């Protein structure tokens, strides 16, 4: 009898019920994935690894105060595994799964469904452009489909850009701003579809201009489309992702780095500070803090560790506000739109007065940074030079993109201004123009990666759109 | 309630009535007249008995109605003696056939060792308790072939890792199953993967491995089951071997026995990395003196760069400088200068002598129907770092009772309460003082001054590494001094102000009923559980360089097993015996962790409460539940007492595999032949026992919980109130099936020269296939891994165990034991187009599970070697390194072994244990940074070259043409440029250690009696005394930061300790 009882214990109850995961749901609304995708993408673009410790250093806005290896282009091959993974397996996969859930949701009103899909599409394209601008050729058409393509092959940056431009234009056309998008979960634009439309067309202009040196015809076509759909029209339209100051883990990533992790690794570089000071740029006080004694002093860019440490306590830190808990990431703003319009006019893509667009760009940057005194003096002293427009626009974008390293680096690579010097102690003969491919990709998809590069650590091979 | 009344019944039942009896004493000797120690003497027809003492003497209470004694002794014929009318007898035992040795096999089944077709190793509790280790895992060091122990020598309940016969699972558990009195016991740790590779965040405390709750004082014997054939009956959970512990029980002797033992041991740190003695900390300023100049109130002072965490500062020349403790205006040291010189004592003075006191009291009693043993052990231990303390109170009760001639019930229960505070933080962290001491320190610092000056006069922290001075660049006038820590807190302040407390309640035990059904049938039922609750609290003060924090965690674990077994034992024919059983088991396991923590720092300093959080506190609960139902059986056929065949099989149904496809079956077959029992054996002179054995076995294993269905991961907290979910990077798989391990084993065992020499040799080959693991994939697929059945890992090896008694002369005997094993491990395959799984690393080295290499392969850049075998340098005199990271070895050793010896003379016994391993490697981050930061002695004197900071050093190597390098490099530039290259800090972990030395003396009974006790023994034991040979400079090669699979990355290793203990024990 005991035996029979034991037998009962052993096999008769349904043990599979024990395997229902109590920690994680099997189904969540697409809006919850959207919030996560928005947060993680902007967290990455504003954060330490890709922004402060790489692209802001590449354009010499900041300099390191100690352990100054990155500013001398000594790269740890593991550094960008996380960036690559976060963009593909994080942001893009979240958006991909969200897209499936929206597409399969039969209860959604068609217009709203259409709008939600467009929002997902615009964010995906933004992530893709960042990937392509960092690494060039990457898996694209076979990516994010683990069942059919466990080892995705690589696409050329040209192919990716052409496809993204097409997709972005279609998604703008599919938006219906008479209906809402995401009624909740949209931490960037709170479901406002007319804002999404302005963002998307401004992004279209950004992408069009980025390829203007290699495909003038296509650049013109899309620039005109962006201009006619309507981009941001004033600073009030700026698309800004504000971090959650109340939650330390969700606060501005460089606040977490500096204040919570107690890392005092960055000073404003002498290159940027000298520019600001010598031009009486009113943004000086918004960009940097004084040292004890009330003066500004930039950290010479690219020093050795010992040299940098010697100056650590006597060089200017970034202004407190740019690393505040509730600081924000500028996704796209009117200053950039104005500079883009100036360039599009200069290139003959659209009509207008390049100089006044350029002035408007400076003016709105000043306004954004909260400075007003001396703005007009600055503009008249730094007027638009149509014969050397790349320097005018390049330099002003470099200034306006302060704290937005990824865009500043991309535009510096494309426009080649301002002129930046390779530091004497550098380990690389030139300023890097691409990210090294991550080791994880070499380990897990090496065959396909080998087809596009012979050196995954290469920092100097120019991207497709970077011809000068 | 039922259980309680049964317990009371057992207790009461075991107090016996005293029958009329008389005392018979005597002496048992061998042919030569030498007394036989430990011979069994029992009253025939009863369970009354005793064993002989060291001189072969015994004394026994014999009931008046009994007259026959039975005397037995291993290796001698069992004889009976009539004691009618005698009170003193002398008996000579004739040497005879070797008696069967009984060993405890899987599920606690006792078997004749000669009938087994696989290797088991038995350790008696005596041998274990002699080591006086508080962590039962450590007590196994060097004693058993094929067993590797990592870590374990650091004090205060640190983690030890044990593996048997290599590693089987890529990502799963590779440590053996612990079973106490038939109850599986959890040996989990709470270390995460980043702590395992030497990181893990600000409060990465080492909470130890859970099996260390087992009280070594309560262990009667331990059986190590190594191969799949031996562990088949444990199913998948035994795939990494089983450590089966039987606790002590009472004997069915009349009356009450009381045993007391007490031990005190002293732990001192060893194997510290020394500092160079010629230069101080900071860097060289561009002043004539090399110090920074600062003007305060018109006086110009020299001061080093205390904000730097390194030691490339000025040379010690007795300069007068202002030190770190001269800037607090309220301090008597304010504006004081002191000499610039090496400290009189280094950081070794930071460490204290850890003291461990263990007191054990045991009560035993019994009668012919039952017996009980109640044990209590109190352990109190202080660590080698200041303010660390651990207390453990263990209560054990084991009792059995014959309800009638057919029914026996047994209860065993252990309650263990552990409390600790100030445990050690491991790895690369400010909270672990070793990070500063061994990696980022200023060599002139005097820890006694750091202790005296840990606080400013206003009570705030005073650290050596303050953010420090701001001066006017032109006038050098002092503008301000920031006392906040730059990178490091004062280590004394950390140990006094960081909060760490934990406590664990653990109950493990079983109730067993055995029923003799007659005609050879028996029935056994058992219910057992291992249940614990751990609460811990950790906090970081506001003034720390780390973000302040308070965290509390509750962990609950429970595993319950119900087991039933029907046995059948019969003699089929004259020559053929059958021993069979059929069993069922139901296992349920729950693990739940609730973690609550403040967010964004603490508002009030020193107030450790969740309500004191700057941002809302966070809380999360994780739970894992699983169950396995099993049916298993075994049939053993014995032929003519010399040939044996065993067939066992088990079928499991696991909750973690897909419904409808969750059943898996695996068999085992073993054969053994005792050749020495065959016909004309006597012709082989000198070999008294010879057995050959072979086995083939499989073992299935299931998946982890919740691996079948894709889920979403909650991301906390909400973003501006919006909930967030992510898609996990690892994709689950609804079509998983079981893993399968297959093992073959051959062995031979012999006893030679009148049993003076014993040899056991085993060969095994084991392969684990269809492993369930996260197969890495390109992140571009949207997932970084997917759970699959794939891959194969193989282990094969040879194990040799020798025991010998080279000398017996009169009262003197000398015993030795030796074991050695060679294990070949290989990751045979992973998955289609996957050759490597990245397991994380440090800056210079990383761990991989790499196809074709040993498990947990260490990768990093290697030197480039000239064809003449020398390291090559480039034209600038720097070493050349491979462009890519290459395989440098694995932490898994190839060769393991131990040598023990003991000498006994009358009441004296002395012994020693040595152990060794060969063929593993490790990378040391401590050595890497200690060179980078100018602390390592090599940064002032390299390869016999002196004054290298002034003159440069010529690296030991050759140029491209093979001629000796003659180009000097600047040491600081060299070390600070090439630190990401792994090879200079990769060492083999080969070692020979003096693990144990001990001496004991049992006082003559005449003296014991005078103070009213029996068997009074005193002893001294030294543990982890010395590393006799090691390739790694300074630090202990047996390094670990966790019980995790990731091994071989040293990072701020908590120093190993050497302990000396004194013990006394007696009976009442």
């Amino acid at each position: 009898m005991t035996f029979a009882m034991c037998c009962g214990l052993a096999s008769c109850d349904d043990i599979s019920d024990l395997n229902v995961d109590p920690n994680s749901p099997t189904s969540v609304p697409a809006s919850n994935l959207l919030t996560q995708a928005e947060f993680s993408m902007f967290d990455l673009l504003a954060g330490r690894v890709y922004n402060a410790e790489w692209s802001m250093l590449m354009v010499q806005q900041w300099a390191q105060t100690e352990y100054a290896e990155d500013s001398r282009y000594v790269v740890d091959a593991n550094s960008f595994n996380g960036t690559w993974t976060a963009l593909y397996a994080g942001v893009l996969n979240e958006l991909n799964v969200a897209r499936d859930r929206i597409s399969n949701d039969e209860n959604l009103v068609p217009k709203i469904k259409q709008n939600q899909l467009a929002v997902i599409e615009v964010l995906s394209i933004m992530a893709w452009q960042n990937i392509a601008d960092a690494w060039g050729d990457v898996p694209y058409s076979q990516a994010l489909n683990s069942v059919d393509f466990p080892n995705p092959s690589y696409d050329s940056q040209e192919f990716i850009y052409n496809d993204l431009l097409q997709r972005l234009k279609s998604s703008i056309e599919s938006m219906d701003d008479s209906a809402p998008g995401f009624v909740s979960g949209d931490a960037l634009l709170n479901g406002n579809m007319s804002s999404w439309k302005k963002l998307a067309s401004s992004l279209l202009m950004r992408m069009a201009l980025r390829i203007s040196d290699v495909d003038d015809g296509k650049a013109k076509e899309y620039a005109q489309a962006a201009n006619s759909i309507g981009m941001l029209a004033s600073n009030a339209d700026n698309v800004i992702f504000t971090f959650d100051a109340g939650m330390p883990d969700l606060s501005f990533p460089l606040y977490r780095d500096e204040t919570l992790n107690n890392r005092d690794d960055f000073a404003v570089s002498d290159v940027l500070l000298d520019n600001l000071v010598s031009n009486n740029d009113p943004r000086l006080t918004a960009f940097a803090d004084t040292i004890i004694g009330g003066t500004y002093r930039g950290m010479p860019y690219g020093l050795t560790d010992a040299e940098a440490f010697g100056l650590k306590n006597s060089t200017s830190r970034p202004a407190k506000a740019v690393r505040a808990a509730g600081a924000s990431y500028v996704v796209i703003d009117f200053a950039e739109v104005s500079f883009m319009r100036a360039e599009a006019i200069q290139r003959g893509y659209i009509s207008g007065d390049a100089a006044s667009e350029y002035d408007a760009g400076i003016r709105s940057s000043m306004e954004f940074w909260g400075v007003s005194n001396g703005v007009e003096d600055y503009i008249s002293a730094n007027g638009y030079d149509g014969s050397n427009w790349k320097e005018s626009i390049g330099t002003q974008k470099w200034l306006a993109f302060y704290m937005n390293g990824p865009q500043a680096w991309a535009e510096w690579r494309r426009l080649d201004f301002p002129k930046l010097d390779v530091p004497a102690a550098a380990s690389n003969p030139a300023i890097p123009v691409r990210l090294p491919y991550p080791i994880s990709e070499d380990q897990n998809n090496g065959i396909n990666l080998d087809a596009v590069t012979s050196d995954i650590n290469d920092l100097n091979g120019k991207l497709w759109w970077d011809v000068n | 309630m039922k259980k309680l009344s049964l317990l009371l019944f057992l207790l009461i039942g075991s107090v016996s009535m005293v029958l009329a009896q008389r005392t018979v004493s005597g002496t048992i000797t061998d042919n030569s007249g030498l007394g036989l120690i430990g011979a069994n003497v029992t009253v025939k027809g009863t369970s009354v008995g005793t064993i002989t003492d060291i001189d072969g003497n015994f004394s026994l209470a014999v009931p008046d109605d009994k007259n026959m004694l039975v005397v037995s002794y291993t290796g001698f014929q069992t004889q009976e003696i009539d004691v009618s009318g005698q009170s003193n007898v002398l008996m000579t035992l004739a040497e005879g056939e070797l008696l069967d040795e009984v060993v405890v096999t899987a599920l606690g089944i006792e078997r004749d060792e000669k009938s087994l077709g696989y290797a088991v190793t038995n350790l008696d509790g005596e041998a274990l308790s002699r080591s006086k280790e508080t962590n039962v895992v450590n007590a196994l060091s060097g004693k058993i072939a094929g067993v590797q122990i990592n870590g374990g020598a650091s004090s205060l309940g640190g983690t030890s890792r044990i593996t048997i016969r290599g590693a089987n699972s890529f990502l799963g558990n590779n440590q053996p199953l612990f079973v106490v009195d038939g109850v599986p016991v959890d040996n989990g740790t709470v270390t995460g993967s980043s702590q395992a590779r030497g990181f893990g965040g600000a409060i990465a405390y080492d909470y130890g491995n859970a099996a260390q709750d087992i009280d070594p004082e309560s262990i009667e014997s331990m059986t190590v089951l190594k191969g799949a054939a031996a562990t088949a009956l444990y199913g998948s959970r035994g795939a990494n071997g089983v450590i089966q512990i039987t606790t002590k029980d009472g004997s069915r002797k009349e009356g009450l026995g009381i045993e007391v033992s007490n031990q005190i041991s002293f732990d001192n740190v060893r194997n510290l990395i020394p500092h160079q003695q010629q230069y101080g900390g900071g860097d060289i300023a561009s002043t004539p003196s090399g110090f920074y100049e600062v003007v305060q109130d018109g006086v110009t002072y020299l001061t080093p760069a205390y904000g730097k965490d390194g030691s490339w500062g000025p040379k010690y020349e007795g300069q007068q400088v202002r030190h770190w403790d001269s800037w607090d205006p309220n301090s008597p040291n304010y504006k004081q200068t002191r000499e610039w010189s090496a400290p009189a004592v280094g950081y070794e003075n930071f460490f204290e002598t850890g003291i461990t006191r263990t007191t054990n009291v045991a009560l035993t009693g019994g009668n012919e129907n039952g017996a009980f043993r109640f044990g209590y052990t109190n352990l109190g231990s202080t660590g080698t770092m200041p303010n660390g303390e651990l207390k453990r109170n263990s209560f054990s009760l084991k009792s059995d009772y014959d309800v009638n001639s057919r029914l026996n019930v047994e209860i065993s229960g252990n309650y263990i309460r552990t409390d600790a505070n100030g445990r050690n933080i491991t790895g690369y962290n400010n909270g672990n003082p070793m990070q500063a001491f061994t990696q980022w320190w200023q060599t002139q610092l005097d820890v006694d001054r750091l202790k005296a000056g840990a606080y400013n006069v206003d009570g705030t922290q005073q650290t050596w590494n303050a953010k420090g001075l701001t001066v006017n660049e032109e006038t050098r006038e002092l503008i301000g001094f920031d006392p906040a820590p730059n990178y490091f807190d004062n280590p004394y302040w950390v140990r006094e102000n960081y909060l760490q407390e934990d406590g664990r309640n653990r109950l493990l035990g079983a109730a067993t009923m055995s029923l003799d059904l007659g005609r050879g049938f028996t029935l056994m039922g058992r219910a057992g559980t291992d249940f614990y609750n751990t609460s811990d609290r950790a906090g970081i003060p506001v003034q720390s360089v780390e973000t302040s924090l308070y965290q509390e965690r509750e962990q609950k674990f429970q595993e319950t097993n119900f087991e039933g077994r029907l046995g059948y034992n019969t003699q089929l024919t004259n020559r053929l015996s059958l021993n069979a059983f059929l069993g069922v088991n139901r296992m349920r396991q729950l693990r739940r962790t609730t973690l609550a923590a403040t967010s964004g720092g603490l508002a009030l300093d020193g107030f450790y409460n969740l309500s004191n959080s700057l941002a809302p506190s966070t809380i999360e609960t994780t739970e894992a539940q699983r169950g396995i139902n099993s049916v298993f059986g075994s049939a053993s056929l014995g032929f003519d007492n010399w040939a044996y065949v065993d067939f066992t099989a088990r079928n499991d149904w696991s909750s973690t595999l897909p419904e409808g496809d969750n059943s898996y079956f695996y068999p085992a077959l073993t054969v053994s032949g005792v050749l020495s029992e065959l016909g004309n054996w006597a012709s082989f002179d000198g070999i008294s026992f010879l057995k050959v054995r072979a086995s083939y076995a499989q073992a299935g294993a299931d998946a982890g919980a919740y691996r079948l269905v894709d889920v979403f991961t909650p991301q906390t907290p909400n973003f501006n109130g919006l909930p967030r979910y992510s898609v996990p990077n690892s994709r689950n798989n609804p079509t998983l099936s079981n893993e399968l391990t297959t093992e073959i084993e051959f062995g031979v065992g012999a006893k030679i020269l009148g049993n003076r020499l014993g040899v056991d040799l085993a060969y095994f080959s084991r392969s684990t296939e269809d492993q369930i693991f996260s197969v890495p994939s390109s992140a571009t697929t949207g997932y970084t891994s997917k759970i699959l059945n794939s891959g194969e890992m193989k282990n094969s090896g040879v194990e040799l165990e020798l025991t010998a008694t080279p000398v017996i002369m009169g009262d003197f005997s000398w015993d030795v034991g030796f074991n050695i094993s060679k294990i070949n491990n290989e990751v045979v395959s992973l998955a289609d187009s996957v050759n490597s799984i990245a397991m994380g690393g440090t800056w210079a080295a990383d761990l991989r599970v790499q196809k074709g290499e040993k498990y947990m392969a260490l990768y990093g850049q290697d030197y480039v070697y000239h064809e003449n075998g020398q390291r090559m340098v480039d034209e600038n005199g720097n070493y050349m390194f491979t462009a890519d990271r290459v395989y440098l070895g694995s932490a898994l050793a190839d060769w393991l072994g131990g040598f023990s010896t003991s000498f006994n003379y009358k009441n004296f016994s002395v012994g020693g244990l040595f152990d060794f391993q060969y063929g593993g490697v490790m990378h040391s981050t401590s050595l890497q940074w200690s060179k980078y930061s100018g602390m390592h002695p090599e940064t002032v004197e390299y390869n016999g070259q002196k004054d290298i900071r002034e003159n440069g050093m010529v690296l030991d190597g050759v140029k491209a043409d093979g001629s000796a390098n003659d180009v000097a490099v600047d040491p600081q530039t060299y070390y600070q440029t090439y630190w990401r290259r792994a090879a200079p800090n990769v060492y083999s972990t080969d070692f020979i250690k003096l693990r144990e030395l001990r001496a004991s003396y049992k006082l003559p009974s005449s003296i014991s009696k005078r103070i009213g006790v029996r068997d009074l023994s005193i002893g001294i034991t030294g543990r982890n005394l010395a590393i006799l040979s090691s390739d790694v400079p300074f630090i202990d090669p047996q390094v670990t930061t966790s019980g995790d699979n990731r091994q071989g990355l040293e990072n701020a290793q908590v120093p190993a300790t050497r302990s000396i203990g004194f013990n006394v024990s007696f009976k009442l």
Side-chain angles (χ1 to χ4, degrees), chain B residues 700-996:
Chain B
D702 57 354
Y706 320 136
R707 296 297 200 194
L708 302 177
V709 180
D710 278 328
V711 294
F712 295 91
T713 309
Q715 300 290 319
T716 54
N718 291 348
F719 185 88
N720 285 328
L722 301 172
R724 297 178 297 138
Y725 282 88
S726 68
V727 183
N729 282 352
S730 178
R731 181 151 227 194
N732 285 335
N733 185 343
T735 63
L736 291 180
S737 57
N738 62 292
E739 302 184 356
L740 193 65
T741 299
T742 305
E743 179 164 351
I744 54 167
E745 182 177 329
F746 301 100
V748 54
K751 299 224 154 79
I752 308 170
L753 301 172
N755 301 332
R756 294 272 286 272
L757 178 64
V759 184
D760 192 275
L761 186 66
Y763 166 81
F764 69 92
S765 175
R766 165 156 63 181
S767 150
T768 303
E769 292 169 281
D770 295 333
Q771 300 214 9
I772 298 169
F773 71 109
S774 282
V775 177
S777 57
S778 165
T780 64
T781 62
Y783 298 90
T784 54
S785 64
K786 179 174 185 176
I787 306 276
L788 282 183
N789 282 100
S790 184
E792 179 185 358
M793 183 135 68
K794 200 172 167 182
N795 295 279
S796 63
V798 178
E799 295 163 349
L800 174 68
E801 295 192 349
L802 286 176
T803 53
T805 308
V807 179
I808 299 187
M809 283 172 63
D811 290 336
F812 177 78
S813 69
W814 175 33
D815 297 306
V816 295
F818 176 73
N819 71 77
I820 186 167
S821 58
K822 167 77 165 63
I823 296 169
N824 304 307
N825 168 279
E826 190 193 348
V827 176
V828 178
S829 64
L830 289 169
D832 280 348
S833 74
V834 176
N835 294 325
S836 184
I837 312 175
M839 300 298 291
T842 64
W843 295 268
D846 64 283
L847 296 172
R848 302 177 193 177
V849 178
Q850 181 80 25
K851 182 180 173 180
E853 305 290 1
K854 273 204 289 182
Y855 181 60
M856 214 43 83
L858 185 76
Y859 270 73
Q861 285 170 276
D862 198 0
Y863 292 111
V864 174
Y865 289 91
H866 192 268
E867 58 195 22
N868 67 14
Q870 301 260 43
R871 290 169 289 183
M872 262 171 68
V873 298
D874 60 19
E875 63 273 21
N876 301 318
N878 293 310
Y879 281 125
M880 296 169 68
F881 292 91
T882 56
D884 294 321
R885 293 186 170 196
V886 298
Y887 175 72
L888 297 169
S890 155
L892 270 188
D894 298 324
W895 293 88
L896 300 162
F899 173 78
S900 63
T901 181
S902 69
F903 302 92
N904 301 295
Y905 177 71
K906 290 191 171 165
N907 288 353
F908 288 99
S909 174
V910 297
L913 173 68
F914 300 81
D915 64 343
F916 58 90
Q917 71 177 38
Y918 176 83
V921 300
M922 62 175 272
H923 175 268
S924 170
T925 295
S926 295
L927 291 170
Q928 166 194 311
W929 291 132
S930 79
K931 293 174 199 168
Y932 182 107
S933 63
M935 295 150 58
H936 193 289
E938 193 182 289
T939 63
V940 299
E941 182 177 341
Y942 172 85
N943 212 10
Q945 303 165 42
K946 296 189 195 306
D947 298 325
I948 58 172
R949 292 199 182 186
E950 290 78 16
N951 306 329
M953 61 181 183
V954 179
L955 295 171
D956 183 23
V958 296
K959 295 189 275 195
D961 62 5
S963 63
N965 177 29
D966 52 9
V967 185
V969 295
D970 172 56
Q972 181 172 8
T973 309
Y974 171 74
Y975 289 122
Q976 295 191 349
T977 305
Y978 290 90
W979 55 277
R980 274 188 202 277
R981 277 65 168 185
N985 299 301
V986 170
Y987 296 95
S988 94
T989 53
D990 304 349
F991 68 75
I992 303 173
K993 288 188 178 181
L994 174 54
R995 180 67 62 187
E996 178 180 312

Side-chain angles (χ1 to χ4, degrees), chain B residues 194-475:
Chain B
S194 55
Q195 188 173 0
R197 56 189 178 84
F199 298 89
I203 48 171
Y205 288 100
D206 183 358
Y207 291 97
N209 56 307
Q212 67 176 284
D213 289 345
I214 301 166
D215 177 14
E217 298 289 340
S218 72
I219 296 176
E220 171 71 27
S221 71
M222 203 182 235
T223 308
V224 179
L225 304 174
K226 297 174 188 170
T231 64
L233 288 170
Y234 282 107
S236 51
R237 312 179 66 212
N240 301 308
V242 177
I243 297 192
Q244 201 169 244
I245 290 167
T246 307
T247 61
K248 289 176 181 165
D249 50 16
S251 65
R252 293 190 169 189
K253 283 194 305 191
E254 307 288 327
L256 198 64
I258 299 174
E259 294 168 25
V260 180
S261 72
N262 197 306
Q263 141 117 351
I264 182 164
S265 68
F266 301 92
D267 300 337
N268 284 293
V269 299
R270 56 180 169 82
N271 296 95
L272 300 173
I273 302 175
H275 294 155
Q276 49 87 5
Q277 299 287 309
Q278 298 176 34
Y279 299 82
D283 57 0
I284 307 275
S286 53
T287 58
S289 65
F291 290 96
Y292 291 84
E293 291 174 0
V294 57
V295 180
Q296 189 179 16
D297 301 332
V299 181
T300 302
Y301 297 98
L302 302 182
T303 187
Y306 268 111
K308 273 282 241 208
D309 49 350
S311 294
W312 294 102
K315 193 165 193 170
Y316 297 133
E317 286 167 334
Q319 306 93 315
Q320 286 294 316
V321 303
R322 275 184 73 172
H323 286 274
W324 59 277
D325 54 356
S326 70
W327 303 99
D328 176 6
N330 302 315
S331 159
N333 294 337
Y334 187 53
K335 292 185 179 177
Q336 296 297 306
T337 63
R338 285 198 304 273
E339 197 174 71
W340 184 244
S341 58
V345 288
Y347 70 99
E348 62 270 21
N349 257 28
F350 178 78
F351 301 97
E352 299 173 347
T353 298
I355 299 177
T356 301
R357 289 187 185 83
T358 313
T359 306
N360 171 261
V361 181
L363 252 67
T364 57
N367 61 21
E368 67 268 29
N369 289 328
F372 79 95
R373 180 182 188 276
F374 171 77
Y376 166 67
T377 301
N378 173 289
L379 179 147
S381 187
T382 59
T384 51
M385 293 211 202
N387 298 316
E389 191 181 18
L390 183 142
K391 287 179 189 159
R392 191 166 71 200
N393 285 292
S394 316
F395 302 85
S396 64
L397 174 69
K398 194 170 181 184
S399 176
D400 78 301
Y401 190 76
D402 291 334
V403 177
N404 58 39
S405 61
R406 290 180 178 273
L407 180 64
N408 176 276
V409 287
E410 180 182 294
I411 284 190
S412 73
N414 296 272
Y415 169 72
I416 303 118
R417 170 74 202 182
T418 309
D419 290 283
N421 58 70
R423 288 184 189 263
N424 299 327
I425 290 181
T426 64
Y428 194 76
N429 201 293
N430 168 67
N432 174 11
M434 296 309 291
Q435 188 200 11
F437 290 154
T438 63
Q439 304 183 3
W440 305 105
W441 189 245
Q442 297 208 355
T443 39
Q444 79 282 3
L445 288 165
D446 180 327
V447 289
D448 290 344
R449 284 191 185 276
L450 283 168
K451 186 178 191 176
Y455 299 87
N456 288 310
V457 173
D458 65 5
T460 57
Q461 181 193 183
Q462 180 170 242
T463 181
W464 58 274
N465 183 224
K467 287 189 171 162
L469 303 168
T470 306
V471 295
N472 181 308
E473 286 212 29
E474 273 90 56
T475 64

Side-chain angles (χ1 to χ4, degrees), chain B residues 10 73 128 215 486 801 1040 1068:
Chain B
L10 288 171
Y73 191 62
L128 290 167
D215 177 14
N486 195 22
E801 295 192 349
T1040 191
L1068 288 173

Side-chain angles (χ1 to χ4, degrees), chain A residues 89-115:
Chain A
V91 177
L92 283 171
N93 203 31
E94 256 91 79
L95 293 170
N96 224 30
V97 174
R99 178 189 290 120
D100 289 347
R101 299 191 74 79
I102 296 164
S103 302
N104 297 330
D105 185 348
E106 290 171 2
N107 299 321
L108 218 49
V109 177
K111 275 184 179 179
I112 296 178
K113 178 183 275 198
Q114 201 68 338
N115 281 341

